């Protein structure tokens, strides 16, 4: 298997950390491998401020959400540092951190296809009843992609 591009969807869970460790241990010694750490976030709306206590409270909430997004971006940088400290070069790890404008599975599928990734390392969360109706990211990605190796961490 000739691996050149790995897509690692990362959403800061314990299973995502296991997937990060798997990539570090399995692929760090392979020459020429590039890793894309991938996360989409819900974009924060901009609110026009008016002189009202309600709007000021809304602005405080927006500021808090912006802080959470910034913290996630810093956490992705730490994940990148983990890969680099385990043998990947700084240039071989890229972060994609963008606002969500469709479902997460579609973002993963589009990124994998458009950027020609060879491997996707994804986790499988055990079933919740709600996933029966909405479908899981895992299932959507598995069903949509052909000719791409998918490693499942559970």
């Amino acid at each position: 298997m000739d691996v050149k591009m790995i897509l690692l969807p990362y959403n800061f869970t314990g299973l995502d950390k296991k997937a990060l460790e798997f990539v570090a241990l399995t692929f760090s010694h392979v020459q020429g491998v590039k890793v894309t750490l991938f996360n989409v976030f819900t974009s924060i709306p901009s609110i026009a401020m008016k002189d009202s206590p309600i709007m000021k409270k809304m602005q405080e909430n927006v500021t808090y959400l912006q802080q959470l997004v910034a913290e996630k971006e810093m956490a992705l940088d730490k994940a990148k540092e983990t890969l680099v400290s385990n043998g990947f070069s700084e240039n071989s790890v890229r972060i994609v951190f963008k606002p969500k404008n469709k479902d997460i599975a579609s973002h993963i599928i589009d990124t994998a296809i458009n950027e020609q990734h060879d491997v996707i390392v994804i986790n499988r969360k055990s079933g919740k009843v709600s996933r029966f109706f909405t479908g899981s990211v895992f299932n959507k990605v598995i069903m949509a992609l052909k000719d791409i190796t998918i490693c499942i961490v559970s």
Side-chain angles (χ1 to χ4, degrees):
M1 172 171 71
D2 188 26
V3 177
K4 292 183 177 46
M5 296 276 292
I6 299 169
L7 178 60
L8 178 58
Y10 197 79
N11 201 31
F12 317 103
T13 67
L15 284 176
D16 291 327
K17 290 175 185 170
K18 279 179 70 174
L20 184 72
E21 291 172 14
F22 170 78
V23 169
L25 292 173
T26 307
F27 298 104
S28 62
H29 66 281
V30 180
Q31 291 292 326
V33 171
K34 295 185 180 197
V35 177
T36 302
L37 283 168
F38 180 80
N39 181 274
V40 291
F41 60 92
T42 303
S43 58
I44 315 287
S46 59
I47 298 175
M49 284 293 295
K50 295 181 181 173
D51 290 333
S52 111
I54 294 172
M55 293 310 289
K56 286 183 183 181
K57 181 67 176 167
M58 258 323 231
Q59 185 59 40
E60 290 173 9
N61 291 337
V62 168
T63 301
Y64 173 72
L65 292 174
Q66 289 169 336
Q67 182 182 10
L68 289 178
V69 168
E71 288 172 3
K72 281 189 172 189
E73 192 168 20
M74 287 189 305
L76 271 178
D77 287 333
K78 286 184 181 181
K80 178 180 179 176
E81 289 173 18
T82 299
L83 291 175
V84 170
S85 68
N86 279 288
F88 283 95
S89 72
E90 185 81 26
N91 297 337
S92 66
V93 181
R94 182 173 72 98
I95 293 174
V96 173
F97 185 66
K98 63 183 182 181
K100 180 175 139 181
N101 57 14
K102 51 189 162 188
D103 68 291
I104 295 169
S106 294
H107 276 289
I108 294 169
I109 293 163
D110 291 347
T111 301
I113 292 170
N114 294 337
E115 297 181 10
Q116 300 175 339
H117 285 86
D118 305 301
V119 175
I120 298 174
V121 178
I122 194 167
N123 65 56
R124 180 185 176 281
K125 297 176 187 168
S126 57
K128 289 183 180 176
V129 174
S130 63
R131 285 196 192 105
F132 177 76
F133 299 103
T134 62
S136 70
V137 171
F138 167 82
N139 285 338
K140 290 177 183 178
V141 169
I142 296 287
M143 298 305 288
L145 293 174
K146 306 286 186 243
D147 301 322
I148 295 177
T149 301
I150 300 175
C151 294
I152 303 161
V153 176
S154 66

